[in-house]
Amino acid sequence: MFAALLLFAAVMGVILFIAGRFGGKRGDKVVAYLYLLPAVLLLTVGLVYPGLRTIYQSFFDAAGSSFIGFDNYSTIFSDKDQLTVLRNTVFWVVVTPFVATAIGLVYAILVDKSRFESVAKALIFLPMSISFVAAGVIWKFVYEYRPDQGNVKQIGLVNQLIVWLGGKPIQLLIETPLNTFLLIIVMIWIQAGFAMTILSAAIKAIPDDIIEAARLDGVNAWSMFRKITLPSVQPTVVVVLTTIGIGTLKVFDIVRTMTGGNFETSVIANEFYRQTFNADNQGLGAALAVLLFVLVIPIVIYNIRSLRRSEAS
């Protein structure tokens, strides 16, 4: 670490020395390129090269020694287990962003300018302060199962509620596809606070004169939401949806912590890890990583374009 710090200081010193030798408009461009050079090098070494290497490796077999073309991609879209992974990923991406954003938006509207606004917002934002692994551990206890025998008491909140209502405890995390949606709830629990925070700021940015004019015209709460609040915060809603969508596509920690991807709960990120490090199938693991990258790109592009449109307007 000490050597790395010295190297960084030396490189910056050389850049500053060279930059100081230039002046004028042409010199300003040279200085700008010099300051960008370290970032470009780091991105090339840490992102571009590994990405290209992963794409290259996805066309090889498990050992990475024989070229097999698109066989790994064919496996992803034909193998039964891999199709289950794709199905679960679709569930995550379709449900999580929309539900989390809807909860955050409704919550932000309900607590806006209320007496206990700060406390109410802090309560829903708290899950954002813990890691996905910690959230997975917490909810694993919530879903915990104990056999329905004699004096055995349930320690999982959900199963205890089921027992109190006269039912029998259920092994929730092995029931397919229920277990996938139970894992999705954990992600929603975390991301709803993020959605609420961003959308609350957008709601407060709505001009007061517009709201007052609507109230003077006798607009009810539903019309206020549909005709004024939602159109005003629509660009922010899109940003929140796409941001949560990107995070959902890459979800790994929750699945790995709670089920390990077993019982048909695996998603692309977890399957990529499992194939690469557990099954030692480097080719299929690389293909899954490339697929994940391809799925994220359109959302990122759409997010950037939405931000530019909102800034232009």
Side-chain angles (χ1 to χ4, degrees):
M1 183 179 67
F2 183 70
L5 290 173
L6 287 179
L7 179 62
F8 175 77
V11 170
M12 291 305 299
V14 171
I15 291 174
L16 290 172
F17 175 77
I18 297 175
R21 310 288 293 182
F22 293 90
K25 292 184 178 180
R26 185 177 179 182
D28 291 341
K29 291 184 178 180
V30 174
V31 171
Y33 289 138
L34 284 172
Y35 281 122
L36 286 173
L37 182 61
V40 172
L41 289 175
L42 288 173
L43 285 173
T44 302
V45 175
L47 184 63
V48 177
Y49 172 74
L52 295 175
R53 179 68 181 176
T54 301
I55 295 172
Y56 173 78
Q57 193 172 2
S58 69
F59 297 107
F60 285 79
D61 62 358
S65 57
S66 300
F67 181 81
I68 59 173
F70 289 92
D71 286 0
N72 288 318
Y73 295 96
S74 176
T75 300
I76 294 174
F77 293 100
S78 60
D79 181 75
K80 180 181 177 181
D81 293 335
Q82 299 305 318
L83 288 175
T84 300
V85 170
L86 295 179
R87 181 204 67 184
N88 293 339
T89 303
V90 170
F91 285 158
W92 277 83
V93 175
V94 170
V95 175
T96 306
F98 290 98
V99 176
T101 302
I103 292 174
L105 179 59
V106 171
Y107 196 88
I109 293 172
L110 291 177
V111 303
D112 185 49
K113 298 179 181 178
S114 65
R115 185 177 179 183
F116 304 102
E117 180 179 358
S118 58
V119 176
K121 287 182 176 179
L123 289 175
I124 195 173
F125 188 76
L126 279 176
M128 283 291 296
S129 63
I130 63 176
S131 67
F132 283 6
V133 173
V137 172
I138 292 170
W139 280 86
K140 193 171 183 180
F141 278 110
V142 173
Y143 298 141
E144 188 60 55
Y145 163 83
R146 288 289 184 270
D148 187 20
Q149 298 174 356
N151 295 324
V152 175
K153 295 182 179 180
Q154 300 299 319
I155 64 172
L157 177 61
V158 175
N159 271 311
Q160 184 60 62
L161 290 174
I162 293 174
V163 171
W164 280 341
L165 293 173
K168 292 185 177 181
I170 306 170
Q171 297 189 50
L172 296 165
L173 293 179
I174 69 172
E175 296 289 333
T176 303
L178 173 64
N179 47 13
T180 295
F181 290 98
L182 293 177
L183 300 186
I184 290 173
I185 289 174
V186 182
M187 189 69 165
I188 293 172
W189 180 67
I190 296 172
Q191 295 295 340
F194 164 76
M196 180 275 301
T197 303
I198 304 300
L199 293 171
S200 178
I203 290 171
K204 289 186 178 299
I206 299 175
D208 292 336
D209 53 351
I210 295 178
I211 297 174
E212 291 298 329
R215 287 175 178 171
L216 290 173
D217 289 339
V219 176
N220 58 34
W222 170 246
S223 297
M224 178 78 76
F225 169 77
R226 186 168 57 89
K227 296 181 179 180
I228 296 177
T229 304
L230 189 57
S232 299
V233 301
Q234 184 177 353
T236 307
V237 170
V238 172
V239 172
V240 172
L241 277 172
T242 52
T243 302
I244 297 177
I246 293 171
T248 303
L249 269 174
K250 301 184 296 180
V251 67
F252 168 79
D253 317 60
I254 294 172
V255 176
R256 196 71 188 172
T257 302
M258 298 186 69
T259 63
N262 299 316
F263 314 115
E264 299 184 10
T265 59
S266 189
V267 291
I268 292 179
N270 181 77
E271 190 66 14
F272 150 66
Y273 176 88
R274 192 180 73 82
Q275 291 293 338
T276 304
F277 298 104
N278 296 134
D280 201 23
N281 191 337
Q282 299 179 23
L284 184 56
L288 287 163
V290 172
L291 176 62
L292 183 61
F293 178 69
V294 170
L295 292 175
V296 168
I297 285 178
I299 302 178
V300 173
I301 293 174
Y302 181 76
N303 202 352
I304 293 173
R305 288 182 176 178
S306 298
L307 284 172
R308 288 178 176 175
R309 283 198 297 266
S310 62
E311 290 175 357
S313 59

